[in-house]
Amino acid sequence: MSKTQELELFRQEAVKACSTGRAMGSVRLNRMPSYTVMTACSTVVLLSIFAYACVGGVTRKERVTGALAPAGGMTTVAASTTGVLVERSRREGDRVSEGETLAVLAVDLSSTGGSAAVQVSRLLQSKQEALGSELALRKRLLDEREADLKSRLQRMAQELEQGQADLKVLEERVRLSTERVARSEGLSAVGFLSKAGAEEVQFQHMDAQSRLASSRRLVTVLERDIQVVQSQLQADRLQADADLSALSRAQLSVQQEITENQLRQRVVIKAPKSGVLSVFSAELGSSVQSGQQLGVIIPNPTDRGSATAVEDPSALQARLYVRSRAIGFMKEGQEVWMRYDAFPYAKFGAARGVVERVTSTPLGSMELPPSQARSIIQSAQTEEPLYRVDVKLDRQYMQAFGRSMQLKPGMQLEADVILEERKIYEWLLEPILAMRQNRVMH
């Protein structure tokens, strides 16, 4: 058998492999398709992690609580005493002026005999009437006394006038009598007048002098009596004026008590400053306690066309209360994301703002807003002092159900303040960088 025939007994592939030294054939490995897919996915994941570590960042934030308030501040309207709201002259949204009446409280304390205010009012009115009657009686007595004294003065003046006229007559009579005595003495000396006649003339002269002296005494007594009556009249007038003044003061005092009693029955609540009455929670007929907050006044809005939100004192801002442990990294310009309690975050999203001011001194519990102090302290979960951070809002409204819903003062909120943003690789390498920095410092 020839060699060609021998070779034909084997397959050509076997003969070719034998001639090339691969008589046993080549090794073939069968890879599963899933291995390739897993390898590709792992590669993509590793590359993504590396890219995220280089490009992605880590945000450090502080979660705080707060509430909305006007930039110009809010003024609380509180009840000065306990009572019942009987009158309300202004509604929410009305503009009010400083000193304007907002409401009236009725204060009526009851006793076993009925209304204490009514009883006091009746007693004071009776006292006022008694004082009025006494004052009228004193005036009438004064008038009668003064009329009597004036009548006496008039009679005494007439008597004095008559006495002075008699005195002049007697003086003239004494002068004539003196001359007659002188003539009678001359006549008696030459024997033309008897001694008895001269004595008669002398006797008449002495009688005239006696009457003149009596008349002078009478005039002097009348003048003295007139002065006494005039002094008495003046003293009576002064005493009457003092008594009438005392009664008038007593009347004024009683009138003041009546006014105070009326004020205690009705207390007027006035606006402490000008602005817009944002909230007035008390209703007519409701009982209010002393110190209870009845309403809130916010500043009047400025012209929107010429003032920005910062310049507008009525523009709302978020007032956040931050614990002292987190205030060190707070600064102006930091971004803030807020979630309003009135607009659930899951449905309406968050609102953005920017830190506008950070207070440099902490606030005590007594310096917090009275209506929000308890909720702020409970949310902070600490007794340590809190710092106030004012946040400027990007929008004064929230989009809800296809329309803009205006935000209102007093709305509670929860906010995240963005303190710091860093790359992920910086965060991963932070321990190494810190060790290196410490080594350099030492």
Side-chain angles (χ1 to χ4, degrees):
M1 182 170 26
S2 64
K3 189 175 181 179
T4 302
Q5 295 177 345
E6 181 180 358
L7 292 173
E8 291 178 353
L9 294 176
F10 303 95
R11 292 182 298 110
Q12 291 297 323
E13 292 79 358
V15 175
K16 186 177 179 178
C18 184
S19 61
T20 58
R22 295 180 178 179
M24 300 302 294
S26 59
V27 179
R28 292 175 178 264
L29 298 177
N30 186 16
R31 296 184 60 184
M32 296 180 64
S34 59
Y35 288 168
T36 302
V37 174
M38 290 178 63
T39 302
C41 291
S42 300
T43 303
V44 171
V45 169
L46 290 175
L47 291 176
S48 299
I49 292 174
F50 180 75
Y52 182 70
C54 294
V55 178
V58 177
T59 301
R60 189 164 70 91
K61 57 188 178 181
E62 179 69 20
R63 181 160 295 180
V64 296
T65 58
L68 295 180
M74 296 188 299
T75 302
T76 300
V77 179
S80 58
T81 185
T82 302
V84 178
L85 188 67
V86 295
E87 185 180 335
R88 178 174 171 179
S89 57
R90 286 291 179 265
R91 299 289 179 182
E92 293 182 1
D94 292 347
R95 290 176 180 254
V96 297
S97 303
E98 183 177 355
E100 183 177 353
T101 299
L102 301 180
V104 177
L105 294 180
V107 182
D108 190 5
L109 303 177
S110 299
S111 63
T112 56
S115 174
V118 173
Q119 292 181 12
V120 172
S121 179
R122 290 175 180 172
L123 292 174
L124 291 174
Q125 192 66 34
S126 300
K127 188 176 180 180
Q128 182 80 337
E129 293 175 357
L131 286 173
S133 300
E134 184 177 358
L135 183 61
L137 179 60
R138 288 288 184 90
K139 286 183 178 180
R140 188 169 68 252
L141 293 176
L142 173 62
D143 293 341
E144 293 178 356
R145 175 71 171 173
E146 186 174 359
D148 181 60
L149 291 176
K150 286 183 177 180
S151 178
R152 287 178 59 186
L153 281 175
Q154 186 176 4
R155 291 195 303 270
M156 294 172 70
Q158 293 175 354
E159 292 177 1
L160 178 61
E161 184 178 358
Q162 184 64 38
Q164 288 175 346
D166 293 342
L167 181 62
K168 290 181 180 180
V169 173
L170 290 173
E171 287 177 349
E172 182 64 21
R173 184 176 179 180
V174 168
R175 185 181 66 79
L176 294 175
S177 177
T178 303
E179 293 177 355
R180 186 178 179 185
V181 168
R183 286 195 304 270
S184 65
E185 288 179 353
L187 294 173
S188 177
V190 294
F192 285 100
L193 183 65
S194 65
K195 184 177 181 181
E199 290 178 354
E200 180 66 23
V201 173
Q202 185 70 27
F203 177 76
Q204 291 176 356
H205 176 66
M206 292 176 61
D207 182 62
Q209 287 182 335
S210 175
R211 289 184 180 184
L212 178 60
S214 298
S215 180
R216 284 177 176 173
R217 285 195 301 270
L218 178 61
V219 170
T220 303
V221 170
L222 287 173
E223 290 177 347
R224 185 174 62 247
D225 290 343
I226 288 175
Q227 291 180 355
V228 170
V229 173
Q230 288 176 342
S231 300
Q232 187 175 0
L233 179 60
Q234 186 176 4
D236 288 348
R237 285 176 177 174
L238 293 176
Q239 183 62 38
D241 290 341
D243 294 342
L244 294 179
S245 298
L247 288 174
S248 298
R249 287 195 300 271
Q251 276 189 322
L252 292 175
S253 178
V254 173
Q255 184 61 42
Q256 181 179 358
E257 292 180 9
I258 292 175
T259 304
E260 291 176 353
N261 184 56
Q262 292 175 348
L263 290 177
R264 284 192 290 268
Q265 296 180 52
R266 297 177 70 85
V267 177
V268 178
I269 299 176
K270 297 184 178 182
K273 65 180 295 186
S274 300
V276 177
L277 187 61
S278 175
V279 178
F280 199 91
S281 56
E283 298 294 337
L284 288 176
S286 61
S287 298
V288 297
Q289 302 298 320
S290 178
Q292 177 180 339
Q293 178 178 330
L294 301 179
V296 174
I297 297 177
I298 62 176
N300 283 318
T302 57
D303 185 7
R304 299 286 181 174
S306 61
T308 63
V310 176
E311 298 170 345
D312 187 357
S314 66
L316 296 179
Q317 62 177 196
R319 292 184 176 178
L320 310 179
Y321 298 92
V322 184
R323 295 174 295 179
S324 58
R325 67 186 69 178
I327 197 64
F329 295 95
M330 295 282 181
K331 59 182 180 181
E332 297 179 3
Q334 289 179 328
E335 190 177 21
V336 181
W337 289 95
M338 295 162 288
R339 298 176 292 277
Y340 302 114
D341 293 349
F343 299 95
Y345 164 72
K347 190 171 184 178
F348 302 101
R352 183 184 176 279
V354 177
V355 174
E356 191 173 39
R357 188 173 70 94
V358 180
T359 58
S360 58
T361 56
L363 303 176
S365 57
M366 300 300 295
E367 297 176 289
L368 297 174
S371 59
Q372 304 169 1
R374 181 177 299 178
S375 60
I376 291 172
I377 294 175
Q378 289 177 352
S379 300
Q381 297 180 351
T382 179
E383 294 295 332
E384 62 181 302
L386 301 175
Y387 290 80
R388 198 183 86 182
V389 177
D390 295 338
V391 177
K392 177 184 175 183
L393 307 182
D394 284 358
R395 297 182 302 180
Q396 296 287 313
Y397 60 89
M398 284 291 291
Q399 290 291 341
F401 306 110
R403 58 185 183 140
S404 299
M405 307 291 290
Q406 287 293 329
L407 301 175
K408 296 183 178 180
M411 283 187 172
Q412 303 292 317
L413 59 90
E414 187 179 61
D416 290 329
V417 183
I418 308 302
L419 300 178
E420 184 183 8
E421 292 184 355
R422 290 188 297 175
K423 300 295 184 182
I424 293 180
Y425 73 87
E426 294 177 344
W427 175 67
L428 293 174
L429 297 177
E430 182 179 7
I432 299 175
L433 295 176
M435 292 176 57
R436 182 179 179 182
Q437 184 176 3
N438 291 335
R439 186 177 301 173
V440 171
M441 292 177 62
H442 290 293

